[in-house]
Amino acid sequence: MQATAMFTFINLIIILVLLVMGIYGFVLFVKLANRGIKALDIYISEKSKNNDN
């Protein structure tokens, strides 16, 4: 009985760690996407300025 409870506790810890890592990874991905969008906006604005001249 104790071994089952211990394995359940270990599995719960593993699930929580994976959940936290997934949320952290999603936050990092959103930050990276935001930077990419900003860089793309800067690139487009610079290219459109060059075409106007």
Side-chain angles (χ1 to χ4, degrees):
M1 192 70 173
Q2 270 187 334
T4 306
M6 190 167 129
F7 286 128
T8 303
F9 184 68
I10 291 172
N11 284 336
L12 181 64
I13 290 174
I14 291 171
I15 290 170
L16 287 175
V17 166
L18 289 175
L19 183 66
V20 168
M21 286 174 56
I23 292 170
Y24 182 65
F26 179 72
V27 168
L28 288 180
F29 176 75
V30 168
K31 286 183 177 183
L32 179 67
N34 196 14
R35 282 188 178 193
I37 291 169
K38 286 180 183 177
L40 187 60
D41 287 341
I42 292 169
Y43 176 78
I44 290 171
S45 67
E46 285 181 1
K47 288 297 177 181
S48 64
K49 285 179 187 176
N50 289 342
N51 289 339
D52 290 340
N53 291 336

